[in-house]
Each structure stands twice: as C-alpha cells, then as structure tokens.
Amino acid sequence: ALTDPAIYKSDPANAWQRLRMRIEKPRTIAVAQALAAWREREAQSLNIPRGRVMKDETLQEIIFHPPRDMA
C-alpha cells in the first residue's frame, strides 16, 4: 500500500487545513487558503517538500500580518 502514489497526493485546496493555528476571521481564512494552496502547488511542481518553498512560521506571519500594498 505504501507504494501507491495516490496515498501521497495532496489537494492544494485543502492544504490550509494542515496549518496548526486558530483562524477566526473570514478574511484571514481566505488568505490562509490562498497562500497554503500556492505553496502546495509550488512544492508539487518543483517536487520538493512544502517546507522548502516556505516554512510554516513564515506562512503564518504573512497570514496574520499581510502586506498593505504590492511594493
């Protein structure tokens, strides 16, 4: 069973649920969903662990303190 690739597939849309943090505001949940999905897609496309794309701590900082503008 461990050689079945389907076991290791993870859906980027559900990646935010693996984050260990309490999120209460809908806007914060939306940011978490978008960032976690982006990180998961990048990791899958590069075939590297998601922590190498961006650490959980960094992701949480961006989620709770998003940039104010594009600059």
Side-chain angles (χ1 to χ4, degrees):
L2 295 177
T3 60
D4 183 14
I7 293 173
Y8 304 103
K9 282 283 190 188
S10 63
D11 185 20
N14 297 327
W16 73 278
Q17 294 174 341
R18 282 192 301 275
L19 298 174
R20 305 266 187 237
M21 59 184 167
R22 287 184 56 191
I23 304 174
E24 297 174 1
K25 296 179 181 177
R27 181 172 170 79
T28 307
I29 292 172
V31 171
Q33 288 172 336
L35 283 174
W38 167 80
R39 180 177 74 162
E40 189 68 33
R41 283 191 304 273
E42 286 293 312
Q44 287 177 0
S45 71
L46 297 171
N47 198 24
I48 59 175
R50 68 182 72 88
R52 281 219 176 135
V53 174
M54 184 181 296
K55 299 277 186 199
D56 284 346
E57 295 82 17
T58 306
L59 194 69
Q60 290 175 6
E61 284 296 317
I62 294 172
I63 290 169
F64 288 113
H65 306 290
R68 295 175 197 253
D69 56 21
M70 293 297 284

